[in-house]
Amino acid sequence: MSDMGMAGIWIRTLGDGLIRADQVIGIANHRTPSLSGKPARWLLTVSLAVPAGSGSAESWDLTSLHRTLVQSDREARQAPEELARLLARLAAVGATGVVTPRVCGPDRDEVHFEFTRFDSDVPAEPMPTQADMVAVG
């Protein structure tokens, strides 16, 4: 997915802040194991074009870095394709802003992607600078 048109598009992750869309090389759903009586969850993740290593002195494993976008109770089957489609459309028009995934639906098995353009929150009036402020007193 690496493309110059996506350098201005950012994706909000569940706990790791924002990632640039032009760094995404994969989008997938996968299920977590159930632990200590907690039910398994479904994660929508992206793989980034950044290597990550783990292991010990005897054995070292190198893989791509994964980031979780959302966690849902059930598999959001169409979410990877929907995100890929949205990123392609945004890149085609040169959009800049943040994509925020949200879990919804009665069974928490749908993911909607909200896009907020960077220019949508630019104030109509210029913000005053320190030099514009006058001390009153």
Side-chain angles (χ1 to χ4, degrees):
M1 256 191 218
S2 185
D3 180 30
M4 291 303 292
M6 285 202 258
I9 302 169
W10 295 78
I11 304 169
R12 187 170 312 281
T13 66
L14 186 60
D16 296 307
L18 302 174
I19 56 172
R20 258 191 13 222
D22 65 338
Q23 296 299 306
V24 173
I25 59 171
I27 306 168
N29 280 329
H30 73 87
R31 190 174 181 167
T32 65
S34 55
L35 301 171
S36 307
K38 294 182 181 180
R41 300 281 186 212
W42 282 91
L43 305 179
L44 174 63
T45 63
V46 292
S47 301
L48 304 178
V50 176
S54 63
S56 63
E58 296 81 37
S59 172
W60 192 255
D61 186 29
L62 204 57
T63 184
S64 60
L65 184 63
H66 291 79
R67 289 293 176 242
T68 300
L69 302 184
V70 293
Q71 175 179 281
S72 59
D73 296 338
R74 297 179 189 224
E75 182 180 14
R77 294 180 193 266
Q78 299 303 314
E81 291 85 359
E82 289 297 321
L83 178 56
R85 201 173 289 119
L86 174 62
L87 293 176
R89 284 195 315 258
L90 293 172
V93 297
T96 59
V98 177
V99 174
T100 303
R102 303 225 187 271
V103 175
C104 54
D107 292 328
R108 292 185 40 84
D109 63 347
E110 297 175 25
V111 177
H112 290 180
F113 300 97
E114 299 170 8
F115 181 69
T116 305
R117 291 181 181 276
F118 284 143
D119 60 2
S120 69
D121 56 6
V122 174
E125 298 285 324
M127 295 296 287
T129 64
Q130 190 69 21
D132 295 332
M133 296 182 193
V134 177
V136 177

